[in-house]
Amino acid sequence: MCEYCGCQSLTTIDDLTREHDAVVDLVSRVRDAHRAGDTDRMARLARRIGAVLEPHTQVEEHGLFPALTDDFPEQMAALEAEHRRIEAVLEEAAAGTPRDATWPDRLIRVLDLLREHILKEQDGVFPAALAALSTEQWEAIEAVRARVGTRREQPAG
């Protein structure tokens, strides 16, 4: 992903970017499963995406986004709304493969949104944060990460 602004030199942004990379890999696997008509595999992968995004979203919504809200209120609200839309579709697979025949296509559409969302963060939010946030704000974001931890996705089918 993005490497042009230097924001990945910050551990916080590097961690968020690594999570984005893991999610993008999983999204590719969901697309493969969709093409193969393997809804069970799509559901398993959706749960894995959700597991990566859970702490990631907490860091953003309780650390990064609040630090940027004064300068970018509409953008931060829109990103949080996208989080809710993405979570809602992923959550449908939490207990197993959804029986709703529309779920696989809805999942693909929400993963398209997720990919666009990641690009907004990588190309907009992260560079803006690098330029705008103080040391104290970064420390507050790091404290959120320390509370919620990380969920690194391991390569697997």
Side-chain angles (χ1 to χ4, degrees):
M1 298 257 177
C2 152
E3 295 178 1
Y4 63 87
C5 71
C7 60
Q8 291 178 7
S9 65
L10 291 169
T11 301
T12 300
I13 298 300
D14 188 53
D15 287 345
L16 292 169
T17 299
R18 287 177 192 272
E19 290 162 346
H20 282 166
D21 291 344
V23 166
V24 168
D25 178 63
L26 289 166
V27 166
S28 174
R29 295 174 191 205
V30 171
R31 291 184 193 293
D32 291 343
H34 186 253
R35 281 189 291 276
D38 190 344
T39 306
D40 290 337
R41 185 163 186 248
M42 290 178 71
R44 285 192 305 275
L45 290 163
R47 288 189 292 277
R48 290 174 62 190
I49 292 169
V52 173
L53 289 178
E54 184 178 349
H56 177 95
T57 300
Q58 293 296 313
V59 170
E60 289 179 344
E61 291 187 0
H62 298 286
L64 186 60
F65 292 178
L68 293 168
T69 297
D70 286 346
D71 292 326
F72 308 101
E74 295 86 13
Q75 292 88 342
M76 296 305 104
L79 291 169
E80 286 192 28
E82 288 175 359
H83 284 171
R84 299 296 82 77
R85 289 178 57 199
I86 294 161
E87 289 167 348
V89 177
L90 292 174
E91 181 64 27
E92 291 180 54
T97 303
R99 296 189 188 276
D100 180 348
T102 68
W103 181 78
D105 290 334
R106 288 187 297 109
L107 177 63
I108 293 299
R109 284 193 303 275
V110 86
L111 294 179
D112 290 341
L113 171 64
L114 176 56
R115 183 68 178 109
E116 292 170 17
H117 179 92
I118 287 170
L119 291 173
K120 289 176 198 172
E121 291 179 352
Q122 298 274 149
D123 295 340
V125 175
F126 296 171
L130 179 65
L133 300 186
S134 68
T135 300
E136 294 77 20
Q137 289 170 307
W138 285 113
E139 289 171 351
I141 296 165
E142 290 168 6
V144 173
R145 174 62 81 181
R147 277 196 312 273
V148 302
T150 61
R151 174 67 190 343
R152 298 247 195 250
E153 185 54 43
Q154 299 301 315

